Amino acid sequence: MESTSQSPQPSSALSRRTMLAGAAALAGTTAAFAGAAVPAQAATVGSGASAAPASGTATVRDARRQNGRPGKPVVFKNVRPFGAAKAVDLVVVDGRISQGPAPRGAHVVDGGGRIALPSLVDAHIHPDKTSWGGKWVSRKPASTIADFVAQDVELFRAQRRSVADRAYGLMSHAVTRGTRAMRAHADIAPAYDLAGVEGLSEARRRLSHALDVQIVAFPQHGVIRTPGTAELLEEAARTGLVDMIGGIDPIGFDDALDEQLDLVFGIADRHGIGLDIHLHDRGETGLATMRAIIDRTRALSLRGQVTVSHVFCLPALSDKDLGAMAADLGELDIALTTVAYSASLVLPIGKLREHGVRVGLGSDGVRDSWSPFGNADMLHRAHILGWVNDVRLDEELTDCYTVAAHGGADVMHLAHADLKPGAPADFVLVRGECLPQVVVDMPRRDIVVHGGLVVARDGELVD
């Protein structure tokens, strides 16, 4: 598991920790998140309407509801939303929090005075790469992205379990830890053909009752530098296997800024799907890519359909330059995602949100060829986010949870599971005193509810 005993120091060698370092800046978080943080007493049923999805994107839950799931109404008795002093009953009808009294014949679940909290959203994860649940993998030294990519292929070929089985194991584990939705990236390259996206698609199908999943076709080996990848991206989009097309460092890794972006934007535009582009390049190289992404988003009218992940070029900007960039991102509704490995490359979430930029938190790779660390537990990720930023105040700790719960929902265009009437009935029940203490202590998720269904108890998936 990832250690949070100290903030790691930068290393000269390339690794996930040095290349994928990133976290959400919480300086001034109370003001920056005032509109999104949930006050401790806002938990009473009847406190207002849930936020609507930011777009008309259909979700897995929409399909379940159309098919008549999840079934009879449920009353979760004796729960303390957000750690409220007084326990209440949460009524769930048709998979959503209801303001009215419990219908006759509703199923009853006793919460035992536990805290009810919104389930979490993993905005950036790579389940296809994981060795989770299998034998220990000893990793070799690596110093470039190409080295890590080669090790990805070696590990893929050495695995005896299919992508679907490995991804299902990790994704079901995430459910037991309170994850309601995730954006899952799957490597696509001639070395794998479509095995990654096909495997994630099967894992998503098996978990459709418990987890909402968006799949990204991620060209980890490069789009232009690896012949055959572009054709596979097109095929994945054409067959409907994926929800989004990815990209990776068009300048620093692919050395083909216009060619890569023209290709992936063209696929997304033709097939009516979104984009999620990995951008690790820093300084002017990264900024040039951001400007090119902004230009294409505007030219193709893809507002609200583009995400950039990691975005290491933003933290070093002056307030003036950051403001100008954030204004463009907000105008075009380009979302960002980050992870929380260290404080060395911190996305300035507060300033970005001032311009309406959606920012989500993710767990990234989990026990893959890049790193032995990771656990797909988004409460742990919120804890790490607070640790690397040295947060101390209750409001700041609450903000960490808010980013993990609602930031990713914003990125994925999902309604907030904020326990208000009309909100998706996606929540966890934990033992604790208050929300800030939960972020610090990370108690077991005793009960996990998705769409009104109990999908996990005591750390185990419920079939």
Side-chain angles (χ1 to χ4, degrees):
M1 302 294 178
E2 293 177 74
S3 171
T4 58
S5 59
Q6 61 181 6
S7 180
Q9 296 300 313
S11 167
S12 58
L14 183 66
S15 69
R16 167 158 295 157
R17 205 173 282 282
T18 56
M19 191 184 79
L20 302 187
L26 293 181
T29 50
T30 301
F33 288 90
V38 184
Q41 298 302 322
T44 57
V45 179
S47 56
S50 172
S55 78
T57 303
T59 66
V60 174
R61 182 178 295 111
D62 293 329
R64 288 206 312 274
R65 185 170 298 108
Q66 292 166 4
N67 292 331
R69 301 290 298 273
K72 68 187 302 182
V74 186
V75 180
F76 293 86
K77 297 183 67 66
N78 192 23
V79 299
R80 298 186 296 117
F82 302 100
K86 183 179 179 180
V88 300
D89 296 344
L90 288 178
V91 178
V92 176
V93 177
D94 194 25
R96 293 186 175 273
I97 303 296
S98 174
Q99 187 169 13
R104 181 174 298 179
H107 180 64
V108 176
V109 177
D110 186 2
R114 291 174 177 83
I115 297 177
L117 295 172
S119 295
L120 303 163
V121 177
D122 194 328
H124 188 102
I125 187 171
H126 295 262
D128 66 311
K129 296 175 182 282
T130 192
S131 63
W132 185 269
K135 293 183 178 180
W136 179 255
V137 174
S138 297
R139 292 150 186 88
K140 299 182 297 185
S143 58
T144 66
I145 294 179
D147 291 340
F148 283 109
V149 165
Q151 290 190 29
D152 282 340
V153 176
E154 291 178 14
L155 181 58
F156 174 80
R157 292 174 176 169
Q159 292 287 345
R160 295 186 177 182
R161 295 177 298 150
S162 68
V163 173
D165 285 344
R166 289 184 286 110
Y168 174 82
L170 181 64
M171 292 158 68
S172 59
H173 170 78
V175 169
T176 69
R177 270 53 184 174
T179 294
R180 64 182 280 233
M182 63 172 55
R183 181 173 289 176
H185 297 255
D187 281 13
I188 190 166
Y192 313 115
D193 198 62
L194 299 180
V197 293
E198 290 171 344
L200 289 192
S201 181
E202 172 61 17
R204 172 170 64 179
R205 184 194 65 78
R206 294 171 63 185
L207 285 166
S208 62
H209 68 292
L211 184 69
D212 296 339
V213 181
Q214 293 175 352
I215 299 176
V216 183
F218 173 47
Q220 174 76 82
H221 295 193
V223 177
I224 306 304
R225 66 182 284 160
T226 305
T229 299
E231 291 77 8
L232 289 170
L233 291 171
E234 182 75 41
E235 183 179 357
R238 177 180 54 80
T239 58
L241 284 171
V242 300
D243 304 285
M244 310 190 83
I245 292 294
I248 180 171
D249 295 326
I251 299 177
F253 186 58
D254 230 7
D255 194 23
L257 173 65
D258 291 330
E259 193 174 358
Q260 182 190 130
L261 291 185
D262 286 348
L263 193 150
V264 298
F265 269 85
I267 293 174
D269 188 43
R270 282 193 300 277
H271 296 282
I273 59 179
L275 294 112
D276 192 324
I277 298 172
H278 284 56
L279 181 58
H280 313 105
D281 286 343
R282 310 180 191 186
E284 183 53 37
T285 301
L287 294 174
T289 298
M290 286 297 292
R291 288 191 287 269
I293 290 172
I294 288 169
D295 289 344
R296 285 164 174 79
T297 302
R298 180 178 286 114
L300 293 173
S301 299
L302 292 178
R303 186 181 189 279
Q305 299 182 55
V306 177
T307 301
V308 188
S309 295
H310 303 307
V311 211
F312 293 165
C313 58
L314 292 187
L317 292 179
S318 67
D319 286 348
K320 179 181 178 181
D321 290 341
L322 177 64
M325 178 71 72
D328 285 337
L329 296 174
E331 175 199 350
L332 296 169
D333 196 18
I334 296 174
L336 308 178
T337 68
T338 187
V339 294
Y341 285 114
S342 79
S344 60
L345 293 168
V346 177
L347 278 182
I349 283 186
K351 294 178 181 178
L352 291 166
R353 285 181 64 93
E354 289 174 4
H355 293 273
V357 181
R358 295 173 288 130
V359 184
L361 182 67
S363 53
D364 207 16
V366 179
R367 296 193 186 181
D368 54 23
S369 64
W370 293 63
S371 172
F373 294 102
N375 57 17
D377 184 339
M378 286 302 295
L379 179 55
H380 187 207
R381 186 61 50 180
H383 173 101
I384 295 174
L385 181 62
W387 176 273
V388 300
N389 287 284
D390 193 26
V391 305
R392 299 166 182 268
L393 304 180
D394 285 0
E395 293 84 356
E396 295 171 328
L397 291 165
T398 298
D399 289 340
C400 291
Y401 196 93
T402 299
V403 173
H406 301 327
D410 291 338
V411 169
M412 291 181 64
H413 294 306
L414 299 175
H416 288 186
D418 53 15
L419 304 183
K420 297 177 181 179
D426 295 350
F427 55 89
V428 296
L429 300 181
V430 299
R431 295 190 182 277
E433 181 180 354
C434 60
L435 177 51
Q437 177 252 331
V438 168
V439 173
V440 171
D441 288 347
M442 298 177 292
R444 182 179 68 180
R445 275 55 14 120
D446 292 338
I447 296 177
V448 179
V449 179
H450 188 73
L453 298 174
V454 174
V455 294
R457 285 182 182 272
D458 302 327
E460 298 294 333
L461 196 69
V462 174
D463 293 329

